């Protein structure tokens, strides 16, 4: 581990000024960050310990006042500060009562100990968990290398990897919470060092590997996430989340799905269906959404939506099992809506 200095930021402006002093124009996600923001620190310190980044300075944004608030209003919806922990979200009754799929996603993420430390900002900005990407010995495409080790049909250990949009990189975004956030049409509020604020839909926050292999989100070095905002659901909106893992105790997702449906009796008026651990970023299944819209919520239509979602799947040599897995959890989550 390299030596680094530690800076305790007291405000957003203070944190951004510090990074301004240290970083010229390097990208936030460069592996040689001059400075890095740390919130819960779980992902940041994994990177430092594994020698994947060598920051000169770690800027602790965890104690900045005002970023740890959850508020709900029936008209304006839900606002969650970027430093709110997953544990605080798990016990919030507004999230449980109005955004069930998000509540379920949080309770299935990581372990109680990790949820006590992890913040929402850090969760959506964490890097992927592909074991080749996380290994200092493997220079893959994402680290300016010349190959994807996972893709190789014989030697690639790709059983957990992407089955959709996997043309350039086959990693999976690690945030299963983003699956539910995106299904609720959440937006991310970001501030830059000039004090300018922007609000970006989660759909536009993530960057597909095909768009830019070096990036997983649009976040730049001199930007801080301040909050995540979810619109208020209508009174007929129902939701459900399912995460399939390999073992009974905590685990990373093999496949997860969040379904948010506006109902009219037993009919689906509109559907928002997002898959996690299917593609390098959380994946909105327009195919499944279209298959459900204006249809009755029943077994036949749920199965048709699951088939439609998987029509774009292109499994790798060792992860073909994910196709039936997704079909099963997508149809089950839709049927739970009734
Ligand atoms: C064993 C294990 C299992 C896990 N399982 C799951 C799971 O099932 N589902 C899931 O969703 N997650 C899971 N996680 C992720 C975990 O819950 C954390 O959310 C995640 O590791 C990072 O959160 P953090 O607050 O510690 O972020 P940090 O490590 O502090 O930061 C992560 C990244 O975000 C940046 N960052 C942090 N806050 C901000 C901000 N406000 N503005 C701009 N940039 C910011 C940092 O610079 C860094 O690059 C797991 C982690 C582990 C170790």
């Amino acid at each position: 581990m390299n030596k680094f200095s530690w800076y305790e930021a007291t405000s957003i402006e203070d944190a951004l000024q510090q990074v301004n002093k240290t970083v010229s124009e390097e990208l936030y996600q460069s592996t040689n960050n001059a400075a890095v923001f740390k919130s819960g620190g779980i992902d940041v310190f994994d990177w430092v310990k594994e020698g994947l980044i060598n920051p000169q300075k770690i800027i602790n944004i965890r104690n900045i006042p005002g970023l740890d608030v959850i508020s709900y209003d029936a008209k304006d919806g839900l606002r969650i500060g970027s430093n709110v922990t997953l544990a605080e979200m798990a016990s919030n009754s507004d999230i449980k009562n109005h955004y069930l799929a998000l509540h379920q996603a949080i309770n299935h993420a990581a372990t109680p100990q990790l949820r006590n430390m992890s913040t929402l900002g850090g969760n959506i900005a964490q890097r992927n968990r592909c074991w080749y990407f996380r290994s200092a010995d493997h220079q893959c495409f994402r680290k300016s290398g010349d190959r994807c080790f996972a893709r190789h049909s014989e030697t690639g250990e790709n059983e957990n990897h992407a089955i959709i949009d996997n043309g350039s990189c086959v990693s999976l975004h690690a945030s299963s919470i983003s699956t539910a956030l995106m299904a609720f049409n959440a937006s991310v509020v970001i501030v830059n060092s000039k004090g300018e604020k922007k609000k970006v839909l989660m759909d536009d926050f993530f960057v597909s590997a095909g768009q830019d292999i070096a990036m997983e989100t649009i976040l730049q070095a001199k930007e801080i996430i301040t909050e995540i905002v979810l619109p208020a659901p209508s009174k007929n909106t129902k939701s459900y989340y399912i995460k399939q893992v390999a073992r009974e105790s905590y685990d990373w997702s093999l496949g997860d799905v969040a379904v948010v449906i506006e109902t009219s009796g037993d009919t689906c008026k509109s559907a928002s269906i997002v898959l996690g651990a299917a593609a390098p970023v959380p994946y909105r299944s327009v195919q499944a959404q279209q298959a459900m819209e204006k249809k009755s919520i029943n077994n036949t239509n749920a199965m048709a939506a699951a088939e439609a979602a998987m029509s774009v799947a292109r499994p790798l040599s060792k992860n073909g099992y994910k196709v039936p897995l997704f079909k099963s959890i997508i149809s089950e989550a839709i049927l739970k809506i009734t």
Side-chain angles (χ1 to χ4, degrees):
M1 194 191 290
N2 69 304
K3 282 192 175 172
F4 54 81
S5 63
W6 179 272
Y7 186 80
E8 198 61 36
T10 54
S11 66
I12 296 168
E13 299 73 31
D14 183 31
L16 287 165
Q17 259 178 21
Q18 279 303 312
V19 81
N20 246 347
K21 284 183 194 163
T22 328
V23 176
S24 52
E25 286 309 317
E26 287 104 319
L27 288 179
Y28 169 75
Q29 290 170 323
S30 146
T31 48
N32 286 311
N33 300 70
V36 67
F37 294 130
K38 171 251 156 216
S39 188
I42 289 165
D43 207 24
V44 167
F45 287 118
D46 267 0
W47 277 76
V48 173
K49 283 185 289 189
E50 287 159 10
L52 291 162
I53 54 169
N54 302 300
Q56 292 161 29
K57 182 182 279 187
I58 293 193
I59 301 166
N60 187 21
I61 58 172
R62 179 71 185 86
N63 300 317
I64 294 178
L67 296 181
D68 55 355
V69 177
I70 306 181
S71 65
Y72 174 73
D73 176 280
K75 191 162 139 281
D76 295 333
L78 183 70
R79 307 186 87 88
I80 311 169
S82 56
N83 275 340
V84 170
T85 64
L86 304 190
E88 287 161 345
M89 288 172 71
S91 61
N92 183 278
S93 57
D94 287 322
I95 296 181
K96 188 175 179 187
N97 293 339
H98 304 288
Y99 303 89
L100 178 64
L102 178 58
H103 173 79
Q104 292 167 319
I106 297 158
N107 280 287
H108 285 100
T111 63
Q113 293 90 334
L114 285 162
R115 292 198 291 268
N116 280 334
M117 292 296 290
S118 307
T119 63
L120 185 57
N123 183 274
I124 65 170
Q126 64 180 307
R127 300 302 309 268
N128 76 76
R129 289 266 163 187
C130 172
W131 32 64
Y132 297 108
F133 178 67
R134 293 268 169 166
S135 150
D137 298 331
H138 292 82
Q139 290 307 312
C140 69
F141 284 139
R142 274 209 195 271
K143 294 188 289 186
S144 308
D146 63 357
R147 72 193 76 173
C148 170
F149 296 88
R151 174 179 298 285
H152 195 282
S153 59
E154 280 157 27
T155 58
E157 294 300 340
N158 56 37
E159 45 275 68
N160 286 4
H161 290 68
I163 55 169
I164 296 177
D165 275 357
N166 55 7
S168 45
C169 173
V170 301
S171 66
L172 300 172
H173 196 272
S175 169
S176 51
I177 291 168
S178 294
T179 311
L181 289 171
M182 196 188 278
F184 282 109
N185 294 320
S187 297
V188 184
V189 180
I190 299 169
V191 177
N192 70 15
S193 56
K194 293 180 193 144
E196 295 160 341
K197 223 178 216 191
K198 61 183 171 189
K199 190 175 163 192
V200 184
L201 263 181
M202 288 291 279
D203 291 70
D204 301 323
F205 175 72
F206 295 106
V207 176
S208 77
Q211 273 173 280
D212 185 344
I213 192 97
M215 304 290 283
E216 286 173 78
T217 70
I218 59 163
L219 264 186
Q220 301 286 320
K222 298 172 190 176
E223 292 183 331
I224 287 188
I225 303 164
T226 56
E227 59 181 347
I228 287 83
V229 183
L230 283 72
S234 76
K235 78 174 183 354
N236 294 325
T237 299
K238 296 178 182 170
S239 69
Y240 208 81
Y241 171 86
I242 298 177
K243 173 179 167 186
Q244 183 64 51
V245 293
R247 28 178 207 197
E248 285 285 314
S249 64
Y250 88 91
D251 209 347
W252 297 100
S253 171
L254 293 176
D256 53 294
V257 60
V259 173
V260 179
I261 288 184
E262 195 183 352
T263 58
S264 170
D266 68 351
T267 302
C268 164
K269 261 176 86 178
S270 65
S272 178
I273 300 178
V274 178
L275 313 181
V281 293
Y283 181 81
R284 178 177 294 285
S285 178
V286 177
Q287 298 80 4
Q289 293 178 176
Q290 284 171 350
M292 276 314 297
E293 271 162 28
K294 315 280 182 278
K295 304 265 173 57
S296 297
I297 303 170
N298 59 31
N299 193 45
T300 307
N301 291 333
M303 287 302 293
E307 287 289 340
M310 286 299 105
S311 64
V312 293
R314 303 285 176 270
L316 303 165
S317 54
K318 295 177 184 156
N319 67 5
Y321 73 93
K322 281 199 176 198
V323 174
L325 183 155
F326 270 108
K327 284 183 188 172
S328 164
I329 60 172
I330 294 167
S331 53
E332 187 183 342
I334 292 170
L335 289 171
K336 292 280 187 191
I337 292 292
T338 47

